[in-house]
Amino acid sequence: MAQLFTPAATTLFRVVIVLTGLGLVGAGVTAYLWARADSTWNVGKPAPQPVPFRHDLHAGQLSIDCRYCHSTVERAADAGMPSAQTCMSCHSQVWVGASVLDPVRSSFTLGQPIRWTSVHRLPEYAYFHHAAHVTKGVACETCHGRVDQMAETVKTETLSMGWCLDCHRDPVPNLRPREAVFAMGYEPHGDELPEDVREFYREASRRLTSCNTCHR
Ligand code: HEC
Ligand code: HEC
Ligand code: HEC
Ligand code: HEC
Ligand code: HEC
């Protein structure tokens, strides 16, 4: 039987197949790296804010408790944001005339909330609950980093689904005693947790990784 294709055509055909294969693998690798890259998730990127509020000064140097400004973090899904009134409890006495505080004073006078720009917003279809974590020994620092050292507030973690699941599969190494939940620079003592807590999370990880825990 006569050859259907010339040898040159066969070679070309092979080259095309190999290149297509490599191209697909390359596209896959690129997509994977893109999805994992911090820049894709705006990690470390501050947002423009109406007032140049500094955590390093207020939560760091002045050691104001997180709950003074994020007052519902132990009770509700939302951590809560400070009202202008909360700022004015001090700023009616310090930095009184400072123009950087103009938006705070006008919000206070008008009784309107200050419009902070969130750097942590999850999409609508993902459900998160602060109290569920904070009351079980997951610390602010574990998810938000060294907020007490931030001059501008940024994300330190992607907050992607993969990130949530990494912990939900085995939370134990990330748990702290309740009283250390607000501490910064603390080393988790997961190894020291009692056996019944470990046992509980071996069971609970199935519930914590099921879709309707976070998509309801
Ligand atoms: C418990 C008291 C207290 C509260 C509450 C407070 N601040 Fe302050 N803030 C201070 C003090 C004290 C300074 C001045 C520190 C200095 O001058 O060294 C300051 C400084 C500032 C500055 C100037 C920072 C700089 O150096 O550039 C801004 C802006 C500011 N605060 C915004 C706010 C906002 C917004 C709120 C409310 C969310 C708030 N503060 C709540 C005590 C407070
Ligand atoms: C004096 C008030 C005050 C205190 C104390 C304070 N915060 Fe904040 N926090 C704010 C304000 C105002 C913003 C909004 C402006 C910004 O993002 O910097 C904010 C924003 C945040 C955000 C980002 C919110 C978002 O929507 O992306 C996180 C996370 C946060 N704070 C965590 C903490 C933690 C953890 C502590 C304790 C270590 C703390 N804060 C203490 C006032 C405060
Ligand atoms: C398990 C991880 C985790 C822990 C622990 C955690 N947060 Fe958050 N935080 C998040 C996520 C995720 C969001 C975004 C929530 C959303 O968009 O629904 C968020 C949002 C916030 C916000 C913005 C306002 C809001 O509620 O949406 C503030 C303020 C905040 N966190 C403060 C804190 C403080 C203070 C603590 C410690 C007491 C803390 N968080 C502990 C993951 C965490
Ligand atoms: C560092 C560990 C950690 C991270 C990160 C984390 N979680 Fe959790 N999550 C926990 C623990 C621990 C619990 C409490 C489980 C229990 O004891 O019932 C929990 C509970 C929950 C609950 C309540 C479940 C229920 O059945 O009551 C929801 C919802 C949830 N997490 C959503 C999320 C989402 C969404 C993210 C990512 C944005 C996230 N979590 C990131 C550790 C974590
Ligand atoms: C611990 C919480 C958690 C669990 C459990 C979880 N998800 Fe998610 N999921 C998230 C969060 C947070 C996001 C938003 C961030 C992102 O896109 O990664 C998300 C995003 C998604 C998206 C949109 C992804 C995209 O790229 O736009 C899909 C689809 C999804 N989840 C499906 C699922 C399915 C199916 C399951 C069960 C096998 C599941 N999720 C379990 C937290 C969770």
Side-chain angles (χ1 to χ4, degrees), residues 161-209:
M161 176 164 130
W163 175 78
C164 309
L165 287 172
D166 272 348
C167 183
H168 278 203
R169 280 189 204 105
D170 178 22
V172 172
N174 291 307
L175 299 181
R176 300 182 182 186
R178 271 291 306 270
E179 60 274 15
V181 157
F182 296 92
M184 292 281 165
Y186 176 95
E187 293 290 325
H189 293 204
D191 296 346
E192 294 158 24
L193 285 172
E195 181 55 32
D196 57 337
V197 176
R198 298 162 171 282
E199 186 55 40
F200 173 81
Y201 281 110
R202 270 194 287 275
E203 276 302 309
S205 75
R206 195 172 315 124
R207 165 173 57 87
L208 289 176
T209 52

Side-chain angles (χ1 to χ4, degrees), residues 17 84 107 116 136:
I17 288 177
S107 288
W116 303 109
K136 292 298 174 76

